[in-house]
Amino acid sequence: VGDSTAVRTGAALAAPPVAARQQGPTLRVVSGVGRDGAATDQWLAMVRKRLPPAKYDSVAPIRKPLTAEERAWEDLIRSRAAAWPREIAAVASAYDPVAPPAKVLIVMGNRGAEDGFTHDPTTIGFDLAALQANYGNAGLAENAARIDRFFRHEYTHLMQKAWWVEHPYDMATPLRYALAEIWSEGLGN
């Protein structure tokens, strides 16, 4: 699980208004795969940002309905996501006083990505095919705790994107870039 995109770009979103912070962040979970097996526009935008053009061109036109195993991962994520808003305060506290995003979109696809990643300052992606390939069936006892850890890891990256806005960091040298990558993934883990 990783997202060096945040480190490379320093991209982030400004903190939400005070009213949004008081209500607490909301999570919305959506499928990145249509009924016909085509990837949704949202999922394609997410993998386009991550893949070299030739790889994206090979992945984008695929029609691949969710398999039973991928559906099981989707069901697991949806079931665990109900509790994730309670995890946000603990993750966000490491970045205080930077506020967490008011709304987070979680998109689940089945091609072209890593098991978990962030796309922008408010979007987390989970590649159900990668989760199945890397960790086996969603119903394995350890996978409920695993997907919760993945959420916390990716949410950490969202907080880091918000942190970069308020604390810009120059990554002009290989050393400074490496330090930013260590900071990013180290806190995520």
Side-chain angles (χ1 to χ4, degrees):
V1 176
D3 184 11
S4 58
T5 303
V7 172
R8 283 194 305 271
T9 65
L13 185 68
V18 173
R21 281 185 248 160
Q22 291 170 346
Q23 293 172 357
T26 60
L27 303 178
R28 186 168 63 104
V29 180
V30 300
S31 181
V33 181
R35 291 177 195 224
D36 63 353
T40 64
D41 290 342
Q42 175 69 51
W43 187 260
L44 289 175
M46 292 166 69
V47 296
R48 180 185 295 275
K49 185 175 172 183
R50 304 184 68 74
L51 298 175
K55 178 73 172 165
Y56 173 81
D57 290 343
S58 71
V59 168
I62 296 172
R63 296 220 183 263
K64 183 181 178 272
L66 294 177
T67 64
E69 293 82 7
E70 292 165 354
R71 283 192 191 287
W73 275 100
E74 180 182 44
D75 292 344
L76 177 62
I77 290 167
R78 287 184 188 280
S79 73
R80 304 304 295 177
W84 289 344
R86 292 187 296 275
E87 306 243 7
I88 290 172
V91 174
S93 68
Y95 302 92
D96 192 45
V98 174
K103 296 179 182 179
V104 173
L105 178 65
I106 298 170
V107 184
M108 301 175 293
N110 67 347
R111 72 209 66 194
E114 298 171 40
D115 45 16
F117 59 99
T118 60
H119 168 63
D120 59 28
T122 62
T123 308
I124 294 172
F126 288 114
D127 188 322
L128 306 170
L131 289 166
Q132 176 64 31
N134 293 331
Y135 309 106
N137 293 328
L140 295 173
E142 62 270 20
N143 281 334
R146 175 175 282 130
I147 203 67
D148 290 345
R149 281 194 313 276
F150 284 5
F151 169 76
R152 289 188 300 269
H153 178 97
E154 298 309 333
Y155 199 87
T156 296
H157 289 316
L158 295 184
M159 291 303 305
Q160 290 166 332
K161 289 174 189 238
W163 179 267
W164 290 118
V165 169
E166 295 188 29
H167 304 87
Y169 180 76
D170 177 13
M171 292 178 263
T173 69
L175 175 60
R176 291 182 66 78
Y177 177 84
L179 291 171
E181 183 71 14
I182 291 166
W183 177 81
S184 176
E185 289 304 317
L187 286 174
N189 290 331

